[in-house]
């Protein structure tokens, strides 16, 4: 059961201050560039070093994750190893509860689904997406009840009859 510390920083002073407050037996330090990026070599090393029931001291969760996916993976690993996480930034502590982890997992799944849909859209470049015209449901209902034929329904929607039939096939599939 070791006490480890991890910090992303740019200045020696930050490291010295972190050493004092973290009381870590071993420090992992990734130096950042002017926009806060790092290769993450020490983060990877720290994650490989963590073992069951260790204690990990961080200034903030933003130092171990650059996006929702990274954060979820990090917290999942910490939970699986039963690592005690000490966050020096008290605003981050609310993410350590089971409910917060479930919320984060939901957000992760939501973002993944939206990215999947965006990738599908990109693959369809050049092919027109089938968008339903305004009032399609209303006109479709009246068309199905026999109030209109496909030509009349298409005219009401401001599209040609072929497009209307294509939309009906897609809608009913």
């Amino acid at each position: 059961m070791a006490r480890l510390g991890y910090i992303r920083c740019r200045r020696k002073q930050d490291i010295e201050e972190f050493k004092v407050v973290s009381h870590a037996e071993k420090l992992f330090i990734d130096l950042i560039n002017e926009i806060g990026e790092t290769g993450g070599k020490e983060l990877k090393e720290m994650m490989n070093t963590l073992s069951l029931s260790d204690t990990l001291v961080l200034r903030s969760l933003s130092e171990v994750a650059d996006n929702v996916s990274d954060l979820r993976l990090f917290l999942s690993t910490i939970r699986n190893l039963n690592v005690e996480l000490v966050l020096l930034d008290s605003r981050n502590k609310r993410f350590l509860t089971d409910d917060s982890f479930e919320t984060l997992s939901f957000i992760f799944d939501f973002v993944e689904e939206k990215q999947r849909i965006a990738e599908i859209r990109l693959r369809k470049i050049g092919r027109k997406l089938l968008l339903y015209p305004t009032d399609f449901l209303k006109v479709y209902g009246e068309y199905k009840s026999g109030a209109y034929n496909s030509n009349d329904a298409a005219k009401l929607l401001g599209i040609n009859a072929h497009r209307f039939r294509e939309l009906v096939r897609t809608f009913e599939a």
Side-chain angles (χ1 to χ4, degrees):
M1 294 190 349
R3 185 175 179 94
L4 308 174
Y6 174 77
I7 182 173
R8 275 186 187 179
C9 64
R10 191 204 249 108
R11 302 175 316 139
K12 179 181 175 185
Q13 181 180 347
D14 293 334
I15 296 168
E16 296 303 322
E17 290 171 359
F18 185 69
K19 281 181 184 177
V20 171
V21 296
S22 71
H23 305 288
E25 298 163 17
K26 182 166 181 170
L27 280 181
F28 296 87
I29 303 162
D30 274 321
L31 296 177
I32 59 173
N33 64 18
E34 39 300 322
I35 59 172
E37 296 175 328
T38 178
K41 179 179 175 253
E42 291 293 307
L43 175 61
K44 289 176 189 137
E45 178 69 25
M46 184 266 306
M47 293 302 287
N48 289 332
T49 303
L50 277 175
S51 59
L52 202 59
S53 299
D54 280 348
T55 298
L56 176 60
V57 181
L58 304 172
R59 290 189 302 182
S60 169
L61 287 172
S62 64
E63 293 191 349
V64 294
D66 292 323
N67 55 50
V68 173
S69 178
D70 291 348
L71 182 58
R72 181 175 179 246
L73 178 62
F74 172 79
L75 290 175
S76 181
T77 303
I78 295 301
R79 291 165 60 96
N80 289 341
L81 290 173
N82 197 30
V83 169
E84 179 187 350
L85 190 57
V86 177
L87 294 171
L88 301 179
D89 181 349
S90 62
R91 294 175 300 163
N92 286 216
K93 291 179 182 176
R94 63 181 162 244
F95 285 102
L96 303 182
T97 67
D98 289 340
D99 287 343
S100 294
F101 184 74
E102 291 301 317
T103 301
L104 180 63
S105 292
F106 170 80
I107 292 169
F108 171 78
D109 293 341
F110 176 80
V111 169
E112 289 284 305
E113 177 66 14
K114 290 300 181 180
Q115 286 175 340
R116 186 185 68 74
I117 291 169
E119 288 171 9
I120 290 170
R121 275 194 192 113
L122 287 175
R123 281 187 251 140
K124 291 190 175 209
I125 290 177
R127 290 172 59 193
K128 207 173 203 179
L129 294 176
L130 290 176
L131 298 176
Y132 292 102
T134 307
D135 293 333
F136 175 81
L137 277 177
K138 178 180 172 243
V139 173
Y140 169 81
E142 293 168 352
Y143 161 77
K144 285 310 256 185
S145 71
Y148 308 119
N149 63 31
S150 61
N151 291 330
D152 293 338
K155 284 180 188 170
L156 285 170
L157 294 171
I159 59 177
N160 66 43
H162 174 71
R163 176 141 159 78
F164 177 74
R165 287 189 291 275
E166 185 179 349
L167 289 171
V168 168
R169 277 194 303 277
T170 301
F171 183 69
E172 291 177 345

